[in-house]
């Protein structure tokens, strides 16, 4: 432990308490990202600047950190750290000693009075050349493309199943079928249930997908967003349509496009084969098959075909050789269950969680690379 004392003929220019930032070796043996073996710490110190040297010691223990003669110092550089002013003392052998606190401005004034020049770190460590920037360009492009693709992937996730968690069995549309819900087995059951206005369901076996998808909630269709770019001009953004026609034999691009739109269009039509050889069209949430074939489907309500797209699809399926009633559809979707803003917030939360995990892993890997050799 060394205590600062003026040497013969030495003049004190200034002294004060400073926050010293430096790297410190962790002797605990841990080497994860939360406790790397080499990490930055800030400590309270007391700095003395004279006409001959710069002395720094820990406060209050008085342990000496460095005692540099002015002729061994290259100069100092001013900057900011965590919104606070900082001063970095540069030695001629490449050492850097950073002080970050409000008193850093006073330290810069003392060093200037001692005759040290203010230098630019780029004069010591030159900036990247054009060739180095070009060499790093593919990595940066890949990073931004990965970020864009991760956003598309997260916002294409089928999240409707989240809103069905904890949903009890019952007779309401979109619930799990209760004991009073009847199963449609023949075409005669269709007309009987329509007259009785009773809920119905079908078994999940043998469903045949139809080439039509619908927005999961109707309030998202045909959304118009008006915005003004000036006092005399306005523009209109046309939102999604109610339906989207799917290809019967999708190719690679069709499958990719369908995957990206899966988070919005995840309600589809299927033909259910009945026991008498006829078919019934059912409309349900595709999330029913997200975790494999379910034991039972949702409770539905038999309704008439209410859209031209549905009518064209049913007539096309009938022309393809399926014997079905083109006038009725068993609607099993619980409309209005997805809140648009809550859904965006949930997807954003998933993306941010993945982002922080990726950053955590990146920092952990970088810390391991910086560990000194044993």
């Amino acid at each position: 432990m060394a205590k600062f004392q003026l040497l013969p003929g030495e003049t004190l220019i200034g002294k004060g308490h400073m926050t010293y930032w430096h790297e410190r070796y962790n002797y605990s043996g841990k080497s994860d990202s939360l406790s790397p073996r080499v990490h930055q710490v800030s400590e309270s110190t007391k700095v003395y600047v004279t006409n001959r040297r710069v002395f720094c010691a820990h406060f209050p223990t008085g342990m000496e950190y460095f005692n540099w003669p002015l002729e061994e110092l290259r100069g100092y550089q001013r900057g900011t750290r965590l919104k606070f002013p900082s001063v970095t003392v540069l030695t001629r052998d490449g050492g850097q000693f950073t002080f970050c606190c409000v008193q850093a401005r006073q330290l810069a004034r003392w060093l200037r009075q001692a005759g040290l020049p203010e230098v630019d770190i780029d004069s010591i460590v030159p900036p990247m050349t054009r060739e180095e920037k070009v060499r790093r360009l593919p990595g940066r492009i890949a990073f931004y493309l990965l970020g864009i693709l991760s956003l598309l992937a997260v916002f294409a996730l089928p999240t409707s199943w989240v809103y069905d968690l904890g949903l009890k069995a019952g007779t309401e549309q979109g619930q799990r079928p209760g004991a009073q819900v009847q199963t449609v087995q023949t075409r005669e059951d269709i007309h009987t249930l329509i007259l009785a206005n009773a809920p119905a369901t079908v078994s999940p076996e043998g469903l045949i997908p139809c080439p039509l998808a619908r927005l999961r909630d109707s309030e998202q269709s045909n959304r118009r967003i008006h915005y003004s770019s000036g006092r005399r001009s306005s523009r209109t953004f046309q939102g999604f349509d109610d339906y989207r026609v799917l290809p019967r034999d999708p190719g690679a691009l069709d499958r990719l496009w369908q995957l990206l739109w899966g988070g919005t269009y995840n309600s589809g039509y299927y033909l259910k084969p009945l026991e008498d050889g006829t078919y019934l069209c059912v409309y349900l949430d595709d999330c029913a098959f997200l975790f494999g074939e379910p034991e039972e489907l949702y409770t539905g309500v038999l309704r008439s075909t209410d859209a031209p797209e549905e009518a064209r699809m049913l007539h096309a399926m009938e022309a393809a050789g399926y014997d079905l009633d083109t006038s009725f559809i068993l609607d099993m979707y619980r409309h209005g269950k997805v809140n648009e803003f809550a859904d965006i917030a949930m997807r954003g939360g998933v993306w941010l969680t993945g982002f922080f995990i990726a950053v955590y892993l990146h920092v952990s890997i970088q810390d391991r690379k910086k560990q000194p050799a044993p």
Side-chain angles (χ1 to χ4, degrees):
M1 183 179 299
K3 184 178 181 181
F4 176 79
Q5 292 182 350
L6 288 174
L7 301 176
E10 189 177 21
T11 304
L12 180 64
I13 297 177
K15 64 178 180 179
H17 295 281
M18 306 283 173
T19 302
Y20 175 42
W21 286 79
H22 65 101
E23 290 185 346
R24 188 175 67 180
Y25 187 81
N26 180 19
Y27 293 94
S28 63
K30 298 181 179 180
S31 59
D32 52 35
S33 61
L34 295 179
S35 182
R37 299 183 68 182
V38 178
H39 57 284
Q40 281 200 339
V41 295
S42 61
E43 294 185 297
S44 179
T45 62
K46 196 166 185 179
V47 180
Y48 300 83
V49 179
T50 70
N51 59 340
R52 293 185 181 180
R53 55 180 172 149
V54 177
F55 182 89
C56 176
H58 183 270
F59 181 82
T61 62
M63 182 181 63
E64 179 181 331
Y65 278 134
F66 59 83
N67 184 13
W68 287 102
L70 295 181
E71 56 270 15
E72 298 185 17
L73 297 179
R74 183 187 297 269
Y76 67 94
Q77 181 186 21
R78 292 189 298 178
T80 58
R81 186 186 184 96
L82 302 176
K83 303 299 183 180
F84 287 96
S86 66
V87 170
T88 301
V89 181
L90 307 173
T91 63
R92 297 190 180 277
D93 58 359
Q96 299 183 14
F97 304 89
T98 302
F99 298 89
C100 176
C101 55
V102 178
Q103 294 83 1
R105 296 190 181 93
Q106 298 179 358
L107 177 60
R109 187 173 65 253
W110 299 337
L111 295 174
R112 185 171 62 253
Q113 294 177 6
L116 289 178
E118 182 176 355
V119 299
D120 187 2
I121 192 65
D122 291 338
S123 62
I124 303 173
V125 181
M128 288 190 298
T129 62
R130 182 180 180 84
E131 290 74 14
E132 291 175 336
K133 293 181 179 179
V134 171
R135 190 166 58 250
R136 295 191 179 189
L137 185 60
R140 293 188 176 183
I141 294 177
F143 173 78
Y144 290 119
L145 287 178
L146 183 62
I148 294 173
L149 289 176
S150 65
L151 279 175
L152 291 176
V154 169
F155 280 89
L157 293 176
T159 56
S160 288
W161 64 273
V162 176
Y163 301 92
D164 292 333
L165 294 176
L167 191 65
K168 298 180 180 179
T171 59
E172 296 294 330
Q173 183 173 333
Q175 287 184 304
R176 291 185 293 107
Q180 300 177 353
V181 179
Q182 302 183 40
T183 302
V184 179
Q185 297 179 349
T186 63
R187 179 172 290 182
E188 294 182 358
D189 296 338
I190 298 175
H191 299 283
T192 302
L193 293 170
I194 290 175
L195 293 176
N197 195 21
T201 187
V202 293
S203 58
E205 297 84 9
L207 292 181
I208 302 171
C210 296
L212 188 66
R214 186 176 183 177
L215 277 171
R216 59 186 180 185
D217 282 305
S218 58
E219 66 267 12
Q220 297 185 16
S221 65
N222 296 325
R223 292 181 298 175
R224 295 179 180 272
I225 302 177
H226 298 270
Y227 66 93
S228 176
S229 59
R231 293 185 177 181
R232 297 184 179 180
S233 63
S234 62
R235 300 179 183 178
T236 301
F237 170 75
Q238 179 66 44
F240 302 110
D241 295 328
D242 279 321
Y243 300 88
R244 188 164 64 92
V245 178
L246 304 176
R248 295 301 298 268
D249 297 318
L253 292 179
D254 294 327
R255 293 182 184 274
L256 177 61
W257 184 253
Q258 186 172 350
L259 177 64
L260 292 179
W261 284 104
T264 302
Y265 290 95
N266 60 356
S267 303
Y269 296 84
Y270 296 85
L271 292 186
K272 168 62 184 177
L274 303 178
E275 295 180 359
D276 57 359
T278 61
Y279 294 86
L280 172 64
C281 181
V282 298
Y283 172 66
L284 51 83
D285 194 335
D286 287 348
C287 289
F289 311 104
L290 187 62
F291 304 104
E293 185 174 292
E295 297 181 358
E296 57 185 5
L297 294 180
Y298 306 104
T299 301
V301 175
L302 284 162
R303 62 169 175 83
S304 59
T305 305
D306 60 357
E309 292 86 355
E310 293 179 341
R312 285 195 295 267
M313 174 198 65
L314 293 179
H315 286 294
M317 299 301 291
E318 185 182 35
Y322 297 99
D323 183 11
L324 73 154
D325 192 335
T326 59
S327 301
F328 299 101
I329 293 176
L330 181 59
D331 193 340
M332 298 179 175
Y333 185 74
R334 184 163 56 97
H335 296 274
K337 68 177 180 178
V338 178
N339 182 278
E340 179 181 356
F341 297 101
D343 193 63
I344 293 176
M346 179 173 60
R347 295 173 187 271
V350 171
W351 188 86
L352 287 175
T353 301
F355 173 77
F356 283 118
I357 291 175
V359 171
Y360 176 86
L361 294 176
H362 175 73
V363 172
S364 178
I365 293 173
Q366 293 298 321
D367 287 342
R368 290 178 185 275
K369 290 181 178 180
K370 292 180 180 179
Q371 292 177 15

